[in-house]
Amino acid sequence: MEDKRILYVSSEVVPYLAENEVSLMSYDVPKMINDQGGQIRIFMPRYGNINERRHQLHEVIRLSGMNLVVNDLDMPLIIKVASIPKERIQVYFIDNDEYFKRKATFSDEDGVLYPDNDERAIFFAKGVVETVKKLNWVPDIIHVHGWMASLLPIYMKHYYKDEALFSETKIVTSVYSQSFDGNLDIEMINKVKFDNIPHEAVQELETPNYENLIKTAVNHSDAVVIASESLSPSLTKFIESSGKPFLPFATKDKFTEAYTNFYKGMLS
C-alpha cells in the first residue's frame, strides 16, 4: 500500500473516545496502512467529551470559517487537528458548537438519542468532504466506519458527484453490529433531499433506523467490509445480495492481510 492515499471517516476513534468495536478498528486499520507506507488521514466529529487539552487539539484557522447548510440553516464549520502519539497519524476533528459541544457522543445521560443526530451526520459528511477539498488531498479510497459517518457515501455519490477531485476515489463502508435503538428524526429523509438527493436513492430513510441507514450507505459504496462477527442476519444477507464486492469478517490476527488484499483488489 506504499503511497496509496486512504481517508478514514469514523464516528469514533481511540484514543479520543472509549474502546469499542468501531473506535478500535478505526485506529487499527489506519495504523496498519500507515505502517505499510500508505498516506492516511482520519476524520471524526469533535464531541464535547473529547479532552482537548490532554489530546492537544488545536484549531486550524485556514480550514475553519466556512458555513455549511443543513436543512436551510447556515452552520459554521470549525476544524481541529491532533496527532496520535508515537504514530505520526493526523486526526482531523469536525466541530460546530451547536452540534458537538454537548458532553456525550450520541445520547444524553438518560440514554436518549439526541434529536438532531440526523443533522449532525449531515454536517459531518459535508464537513469532511469540504475540508478534504480545501486540503486538495485526493484519496484513492475513502473508508467509512460507524453510523454517524454513514451519510458520507450518499453525499459523495450525489451531492459531490461532479467534483473532479474525487472522480477516481473508491468508497468502502465497514458495517458493524454496534447500533442504536429506535429511529432518528422522522424528517431526516427530507433534510437529505433538501440537498437535491433523489427520493429513490434514500427511500429507506423514510424509517431512519440503524439498519436502513446502513443499507443506504451500502447501496452507495463501491465495496463493503463485514466488520463484526455477530452482524445481524438481515444485514449480512443484504450485503451478500447487494452485488458489491465484500470482505467477510476477519479476525484480529488475519485482518492485516485481508484488508490489504481487499484494498489492492479495489484499486486494481
Side-chain angles (χ1 to χ4, degrees):
M1 297 304 292
E2 187 84 34
D3 290 331
K4 293 299 181 198
R5 292 182 169 194
I6 304 185
L7 171 64
Y8 292 92
V9 183
S10 180
S11 299
E12 306 166 78
V13 184
V14 296
Y16 305 105
L17 292 170
E19 291 187 2
N20 60 39
E21 210 168 34
V22 176
S23 65
L24 283 166
M25 279 310 266
S26 299
Y27 168 80
D28 288 342
V29 183
K31 179 187 183 310
M32 178 262 291
I33 295 301
N34 197 50
D35 290 347
Q36 293 180 18
Q39 297 182 43
I40 63 159
R41 299 276 188 277
I42 303 174
F43 278 75
M44 67 177 290
R46 205 291 300 177
Y47 306 104
N49 55 345
I50 293 172
N51 188 316
E52 294 203 13
R53 185 175 298 167
R54 186 195 314 145
H55 295 297
Q56 299 181 342
L57 272 68
H58 59 271
E59 185 175 348
V60 187
I61 303 297
R62 70 185 176 89
L63 297 175
S64 299
M66 163 178 11
N67 276 7
L68 304 179
V69 177
V70 178
N71 200 31
D72 207 20
L73 285 175
D74 273 359
M75 306 302 280
L77 173 64
I78 301 163
I79 303 295
K80 293 175 179 169
V81 71
S83 291
I84 295 180
K86 299 195 288 282
E87 294 300 337
R88 302 218 318 276
I89 293 174
Q90 273 205 317
V91 181
Y92 291 82
F93 295 84
I94 300 292
D95 197 5
N96 169 274
D97 287 348
E98 187 76 25
Y99 288 139
F100 295 112
K101 198 78 166 172
R102 59 204 78 160
K103 292 291 182 189
T105 48
F106 311 125
S107 49
D108 63 23
E109 60 268 23
D110 298 320
V112 177
L113 284 172
Y114 290 127
D116 62 353
N117 273 338
D118 59 329
E119 294 184 13
R120 298 167 92 208
I122 293 169
F123 184 87
F124 181 50
K126 286 184 168 181
V128 169
V129 182
E130 295 295 347
T131 305
V132 173
K133 281 166 59 182
K134 268 197 171 178
L135 290 168
N136 201 28
W137 189 80
V138 185
D140 296 297
I141 293 173
I142 298 176
H143 193 160
V144 175
H145 298 260
W147 64 264
M148 182 64 82
S150 64
L151 291 183
L152 190 104
I154 297 135
Y155 274 78
M156 286 293 293
K157 297 293 187 187
H158 293 285
Y159 191 75
Y160 293 105
K161 68 179 186 293
D162 297 324
E163 288 285 348
L165 194 72
F166 304 112
S167 61
E168 303 294 318
T169 301
K170 297 282 192 279
I171 301 169
V172 57
T173 294
S174 277
V175 179
Y176 295 87
S177 56
Q178 181 190 333
S179 64
F180 57 85
D181 294 326
N183 296 332
L184 301 185
D185 183 9
I186 205 71
E187 284 297 311
M188 179 178 189
I189 188 169
N190 293 324
K191 295 172 190 177
V192 173
K193 283 163 60 180
F194 176 83
D195 290 319
N196 294 320
I197 293 172
H199 180 90
E200 61 272 15
V202 289
Q203 58 192 6
E204 281 97 348
L205 298 182
E206 286 177 3
T207 305
N209 59 26
Y210 175 75
E211 287 222 348
N212 286 341
L213 213 58
I214 297 306
K215 285 176 179 178
T216 307
V218 168
N219 284 338
H220 291 86
S221 300
D222 298 299
V224 185
V225 173
I226 296 177
S228 293
E229 198 168 9
S230 57
L231 198 62
S232 74
S234 57
L235 270 181
T236 303
K237 186 178 177 186
F238 183 83
I239 292 165
E240 289 173 348
S241 61
S242 67
K244 312 274 181 178
F246 72 91
L247 178 67
F249 177 74
T251 53
K252 183 89 178 190
D253 57 326
K254 302 241 174 67
F255 95 92
T256 297
E257 185 182 4
Y259 277 61
T260 304
N261 290 339
F262 191 63
Y263 283 159
K264 284 178 177 173
M266 289 178 67
L267 296 172
S268 61

